[in-house]
Amino acid sequence: MNIRFLGTGFGAPYKNRHQQSILIEVGDYSYLFDAGAPVCDILSFAEYDMSRIKTVFISHLHGDHMNGLNDMINLAEFFNIRCDVYLSEERGIKAFRDYTYMQLGRDSDRVDFKLISEGLFYDDGIIKVTAYQNGHMKGLPSYSFLIEAEGKRIYITNDLSPELCDLPDISPDMLIIEAAHFEAETVISKCNQLKVDKVAFVHVMPPEKYDDLKKCNTNFIPLYPNDGEEYVI
Ligand SMILES: [Zn+2]
Ligand SMILES: [Zn+2]
């Protein structure tokens, strides 16, 4: 699996970090996990063939995780995108269907909206995606994702609750965890309890927290990906 960190920022764009979006490539296909803005620009500037994107997964209905989706819908024909978009709530599906109708004057024949359900909800024979509901949205659906392909496992927390009680006892090959809603020591201590080799920190707020994270002792390999960086697992 190839992991491209397209946007590693927190809610607001900040010096060289865009809103959250992570592209996972398996063979000829790619899968977009969250679509923060300006994901279409980022991929276009990199001359990325967006027709490779098979499915988009939106963890929750906060703008910094879905603001880039509008452009993907509007420019689907231009970029030859045909994909399914999984959203965390029915109201999101309705909103994006209405938005599409507003833009095109009809439903899209290229982008299909579907609902995420807890547990294993996606298996196309190439990747499997399991949704774990987390407490970030205080009663509304918000999900972390376990992604399995080619015998490897990646867990993306997306946004969590400030209590950090919604990270299950998992042991993926790579954990991609947010660090906006808790102190550096808290998140490092939690990760130290897991059996995980590599932990990538994204969505770090405030940006000065990178320094705090780097000062902590870890029993895993800590990664601090910048926008545009790629990792192979
Ligand atoms: Zn966020
Ligand atoms: Zn959020």
Side-chain angles (χ1 to χ4, degrees):
M1 268 190 280
N2 194 53
I3 306 158
R4 285 182 182 233
F5 289 91
L6 304 177
T8 59
F10 54 91
Y14 183 83
K15 247 197 283 184
N16 302 324
R17 291 190 190 275
H18 294 297
Q19 295 174 342
Q20 183 153 328
S21 57
I22 298 168
L23 191 74
I24 294 191
E25 298 168 303
V26 184
D28 292 336
Y29 294 105
S30 58
Y31 303 84
L32 187 62
F33 289 86
D34 281 338
V39 68
C40 242
D41 303 46
I42 294 166
L43 290 168
S44 180
F45 291 3
E47 297 185 316
Y48 191 83
D49 176 5
M50 282 185 248
S51 70
R52 291 179 63 190
I53 300 175
K54 193 169 183 214
T55 314
V56 179
F57 303 89
I58 303 293
S59 62
H60 65 291
L61 300 183
H62 278 161
D64 56 315
H65 297 255
M66 63 179 186
N67 282 341
L69 195 51
N70 297 345
D71 277 341
M72 290 190 70
I73 294 166
N74 296 342
L75 297 168
E77 191 168 339
F78 183 82
F79 287 119
N80 196 22
I81 298 169
R82 283 183 195 277
C83 66
D84 288 335
V85 176
Y86 280 82
L87 290 149
S88 54
E89 292 184 53
E90 288 282 6
R91 67 182 175 132
I93 292 177
K94 181 181 181 316
F96 277 107
R97 281 204 180 120
D98 286 349
Y99 176 85
T100 306
Y101 201 91
M102 183 178 79
Q103 289 293 321
L104 305 178
R106 56 176 170 77
D107 293 329
S108 174
D109 53 5
R110 289 181 167 266
V111 180
D112 203 7
F113 301 101
K114 297 182 172 175
L115 186 67
I116 295 170
S117 54
E118 211 171 358
L120 176 63
F121 71 96
Y122 185 87
D123 181 356
D124 63 357
I126 301 168
I127 71 163
K128 289 181 187 172
V129 184
T130 303
Y132 290 74
Q133 182 146 2
N134 61 51
H136 175 60
M137 293 278 276
K138 304 274 177 236
L140 293 170
S142 171
Y143 295 103
S144 305
F145 298 126
L146 175 68
I147 301 137
E148 298 171 271
E150 299 177 332
K152 302 283 187 182
R153 290 149 43 101
I154 299 171
Y155 192 89
I156 309 179
T157 66
N158 304 310
D159 289 4
L160 295 171
S161 73
E163 295 78 28
L164 194 44
C165 54
D166 38 9
L167 180 59
D169 189 13
I170 37 139
S171 51
D173 296 282
M174 181 187 282
L175 171 65
I176 301 171
I177 190 166
E178 66 113 329
H181 297 97
F182 14 75
E183 297 303 315
E185 296 76 17
T186 310
V187 67
I188 294 279
S189 137
K190 183 79 178 177
C191 293
N192 274 337
Q193 292 165 29
L194 303 172
K195 285 194 185 70
V196 58
D197 287 341
K198 295 189 179 81
V199 178
F201 295 93
V202 296
H203 210 283
V204 178
M205 183 179 76
E208 296 75 35
K209 199 184 283 177
Y210 278 103
D211 295 333
D212 301 334
L213 289 165
K214 288 173 184 174
K215 280 182 206 148
C216 296
N217 291 322
T218 65
N219 56 18
F220 52 84
I221 299 167
L223 304 170
Y224 304 98
N226 293 310
D227 283 20
E229 282 186 13
E230 292 182 45
Y231 294 82
V232 177
I233 63 157

mmCIF file of all heavy atoms in Angstrom, residues 60 62 64-65 136 159, ligand 2:
data_model
loop_
_atom_site.group_PDB
_atom_site.id
_atom_site.type_symbol
_atom_site.label_atom_id
_atom_site.label_comp_id
_atom_site.label_asym_id
_atom_site.label_seq_id
_atom_site.Cartn_x
_atom_site.Cartn_y
_atom_site.Cartn_z
ATOM 1 N N HIS A 60 -16.444 12.277 8.856
ATOM 2 C CA HIS A 60 -17.495 13.009 9.573
ATOM 3 C C HIS A 60 -17.750 14.333 8.870
ATOM 4 O O HIS A 60 -16.950 14.770 8.034
ATOM 5 C CB HIS A 60 -17.132 13.208 11.050
ATOM 6 C CG HIS A 60 -15.940 14.073 11.296
ATOM 7 N ND1 HIS A 60 -14.662 13.695 10.968
ATOM 8 C CD2 HIS A 60 -15.819 15.304 11.860
ATOM 9 C CE1 HIS A 60 -13.812 14.646 11.329
ATOM 10 N NE2 HIS A 60 -14.480 15.644 11.861
ATOM 11 N N HIS A 62 -17.495 17.502 9.221
ATOM 12 C CA HIS A 62 -16.855 18.787 9.510
ATOM 13 C C HIS A 62 -16.128 19.240 8.247
ATOM 14 O O HIS A 62 -15.512 18.432 7.549
ATOM 15 C CB HIS A 62 -15.858 18.673 10.673
ATOM 16 C CG HIS A 62 -16.513 18.730 12.024
ATOM 17 N ND1 HIS A 62 -15.912 18.283 13.177
ATOM 18 C CD2 HIS A 62 -17.742 19.210 12.395
ATOM 19 C CE1 HIS A 62 -16.732 18.466 14.211
ATOM 20 N NE2 HIS A 62 -17.850 19.017 13.751
ATOM 21 N N ASP A 64 -13.412 20.687 7.470
ATOM 22 C CA ASP A 64 -11.989 20.432 7.183
ATOM 23 C C ASP A 64 -11.734 19.006 6.706
ATOM 24 O O ASP A 64 -10.616 18.666 6.331
ATOM 25 C CB ASP A 64 -11.111 20.754 8.407
ATOM 26 C CG ASP A 64 -11.520 19.997 9.656
ATOM 27 O OD1 ASP A 64 -12.721 19.917 9.953
ATOM 28 O OD2 ASP A 64 -10.611 19.478 10.346
ATOM 29 N N HIS A 65 -12.778 18.165 6.681
ATOM 30 C CA HIS A 65 -12.637 16.792 6.184
ATOM 31 C C HIS A 65 -13.424 16.575 4.891
ATOM 32 O O HIS A 65 -13.383 15.479 4.336
ATOM 33 C CB HIS A 65 -13.084 15.790 7.258
ATOM 34 C CG HIS A 65 -12.216 15.861 8.479
ATOM 35 N ND1 HIS A 65 -11.264 14.925 8.783
ATOM 36 C CD2 HIS A 65 -12.123 16.818 9.451
ATOM 37 C CE1 HIS A 65 -10.622 15.280 9.897
ATOM 38 N NE2 HIS A 65 -11.137 16.430 10.317
ATOM 39 N N HIS A 136 -16.116 11.892 18.540
ATOM 40 C CA HIS A 136 -15.755 13.263 18.156
ATOM 41 C C HIS A 136 -16.956 14.180 17.982
ATOM 42 O O HIS A 136 -16.918 15.347 18.332
ATOM 43 C CB HIS A 136 -14.940 13.203 16.866
ATOM 44 C CG HIS A 136 -14.609 14.541 16.306
ATOM 45 N ND1 HIS A 136 -13.872 15.471 17.000
ATOM 46 C CD2 HIS A 136 -14.926 15.133 15.112
ATOM 47 C CE1 HIS A 136 -13.740 16.558 16.259
ATOM 48 N NE2 HIS A 136 -14.375 16.386 15.129
ATOM 49 N N ASP A 159 -10.765 12.491 13.406
ATOM 50 C CA ASP A 159 -10.880 13.258 14.653
ATOM 51 C C ASP A 159 -11.479 12.378 15.756
ATOM 52 O O ASP A 159 -12.420 11.617 15.506
ATOM 53 C CB ASP A 159 -11.768 14.486 14.450
ATOM 54 C CG ASP A 159 -11.088 15.538 13.583
ATOM 55 O OD1 ASP A 159 -9.974 15.272 13.087
ATOM 56 O OD2 ASP A 159 -11.666 16.619 13.413
HETATM 57 ZN ZN ZN B 2 -13.938 17.258 13.236
#
